[in-house]
Amino acid sequence: NAGVTQTPKFRILKIGQSMTLQCTQDMNHNYMYWYRQDPGMGLKLIYYSVGAGITDKGEVPNGYNVSRSTTEDFPLRLELAAPSQTSVYFCASSYQGPDTQYFGPGTRLTVL
Amino acid sequence: KQEVTQIPAALSVPEGENLVLNCSFTDSAIYNLQWFRQDPGKGLTSLLLIQSSQREQTSGRLNASLDKSSGRSTLYIAASQPGDSATYLCAVRGNSGGSNYKLTFGKGTLLTVNP
């Protein structure tokens, strides 16, 4: 199993640009999550999904959108990038509930 | 609102030393608590999960304790090795309403074990 994969690993955006961060898991997990981690800070939940077609907001959803059309994929969309969205983004998945989450390697995003 | 604090923010020790990392949380209504390890440029790996009804969990040289009533947990690392160098994060899962679905993370403790 590849586990949780994220692409790209690094990206630099200009203010106002849009992009999609990709996340795929091959463990047939029901739950998937997107977090952001700012320097020296803990992780904050952006969005999560409990299954295909079901998504819900976390602590810091503003400026982001998600979709979950399949069990495997959970892309995160930034529509109008702002410097405040400079962060490392982690995707995670779990079979049932927020325990025992498996994390991807992260995407480091810089908005200039 | 749950808040998780980890002390110290950074710790440097010589190889072989036993050490303790601390985690405190403001709301004792938790379902469980986890300790994670994060290596530079990598995602998180779960080390230990303690249910709210448990007092401690052990895995190899790691031992985590939980005192829910006082809102504290410790991670004890015995006979530290350079390979233990990483950031250690504590996270709690709430047990009521909207807090049940998510983990609240501390900022982490950056551990450096010197050869």
Side-chain angles (χ1 to χ4, degrees), chain A residues 29-47:
Chain A
H29 284 169
N30 296 312
Y31 285 60
M32 295 187 75
Y33 312 83
W34 274 107
Y35 296 92
R36 60 177 286 171
Q37 184 178 35
D38 298 329
M41 304 292 285
L43 278 70
K44 292 194 182 297
L45 183 66
I46 305 171
Y47 271 96

Side-chain angles (χ1 to χ4, degrees), chain B residues 58-88:
Chain B
T58 297
S59 176
R61 294 182 293 106
L62 306 180
N63 176 277
S65 68
L66 174 64
D67 184 341
K68 197 175 77 161
S69 60
S70 67
R72 287 187 287 195
S73 175
T74 61
L75 178 66
Y76 175 83
I77 302 177
S80 58
Q81 303 170 357
D84 294 330
S85 298
T87 297
Y88 291 81

Side-chain angles (χ1 to χ4, degrees), chain A residues 35 37 42-43 90-92 101-106, chain B residues 35-39 42-47 87-91 103 105-106:
Chain A
Y35 296 92
Q37 184 178 35
L43 278 70
F90 290 100
C91 179
Q101 293 183 34
Y102 293 80
F103 283 79
Chain B
W35 283 93
F36 291 87
R37 170 184 173 136
Q38 183 177 26
D39 292 293
K42 302 285 182 63
L44 279 66
T45 301
S46 181
L47 297 172
T87 297
Y88 291 81
L89 293 100
C90 163
L103 305 180
F105 286 83

Side-chain angles (χ1 to χ4, degrees), chain A residues 10-89:
Chain A
F10 304 93
R11 183 73 184 267
I12 298 175
L13 283 182
K14 294 183 179 178
I15 295 172
Q17 286 186 319
S18 300
M19 78 163 294
T20 299
L21 283 67
Q22 302 291 346
C23 175
T24 299
Q25 54 92 7
D26 62 359
M27 297 174 282
N28 200 32
H29 284 169
N30 296 312
Y31 285 60
M32 295 187 75
Y33 312 83
W34 274 107
Y35 296 92
R36 60 177 286 171
Q37 184 178 35
D38 298 329
M41 304 292 285
L43 278 70
K44 292 194 182 297
L45 183 66
I46 305 171
Y47 271 96
Y48 70 103
S49 168
V50 301
I54 307 170
T55 63
D56 207 347
K57 297 177 180 178
E59 300 173 85
V60 289
N62 291 344
Y64 307 95
N65 279 299
V66 294
S67 60
R68 184 98 182 269
S69 57
T70 67
T71 299
E72 295 78 21
D73 300 305
F74 191 40
L76 178 71
R77 179 82 178 160
L78 283 71
E79 290 294 347
L80 291 170
S84 61
Q85 293 177 305
T86 294
S87 191
V88 180
Y89 292 83

Side-chain angles (χ1 to χ4, degrees), chain B residues 13 22 24 28 31 45 48 61 65 70 77 82 92 104 113:
Chain B
V13 301
N22 296 292
S24 62
S28 61
Y31 191 79
T45 301
L48 290 165
R61 294 182 293 106
S65 68
S70 67
I77 302 177
V92 298
T104 301
V113 181

